[in-house]
Amino acid sequence: MPELAALVLAAGAGRRFGAIKPLAEVRGQPLVRHAIALADAVQPCSLQVVLGAQHEAIAARLPDSAGVIVHEGWQRGLGSSIAAGIRGLAGQPDGVLLLLVDQVALRTQALQALASRWRATPEAVACADYDGLPGVPAILPRRLFAALEALDGERGAKPLLLAEGDAALRLPMPEAAIDIDTPTDLARWLATLPD
């Protein structure tokens, strides 16, 4: 079975959120633990969390099973955080699952389906499809690790996903379009949940 690693990207300052966004509570647990639980459901999978801003406070709330990569240059943006995560991967995985800490509506079944698609064709990119475009969560194969490691600045993996064109295995995942940038976003989303 192809070996998969997961990177939960939680390095940003979340300035618009006004607090430590990865520690915002949803259903009784911090956002970062929600993302870790999603990644843990994709078995077998080694998991690391990329931290930057407020890394000590966030690391203190992580389960022992999660590895930590501290990205000292987190201010440079998402692309640089992905690059730091790739540099810090343990072993030689065949692919890496990229997860954003604030995609609060994701469900384990969708990630399991994404991983199943990728494992059937491990040289391909498998990614979410929402708003008519490919996006994260995404699994990128080892052949793209050098390109991921070269990322810098605010732009993430989107250009690599787009470059794959029709070769990418795209899974409809409209819930991936929901992310949390502000406390208002979080309150609005929480209000939609059943009691």
Side-chain angles (χ1 to χ4, degrees), residues 30-90:
L31 281 174
V32 68
R33 288 190 77 120
H34 170 71
I36 288 168
L38 289 170
D40 277 344
V42 181
Q43 295 292 337
C45 182
S46 64
L47 167 69
Q48 291 178 288
V49 183
V50 181
L51 299 178
Q54 306 289 334
H55 64 88
E56 291 178 351
I58 299 168
R61 300 286 301 277
L62 300 182
D64 293 339
S65 61
V68 173
I69 297 168
V70 176
H71 176 35
E72 301 293 347
W74 61 267
Q75 300 94 333
R76 296 201 313 271
L78 177 60
S80 73
S81 294
I82 293 171
I86 295 296
R87 284 191 294 273
L89 284 176

Side-chain angles (χ1 to χ4, degrees), residues 145-157:
F145 283 11
L148 289 168
E149 196 172 334
L151 293 175
D152 201 5
E154 293 295 335
R155 297 228 31 206

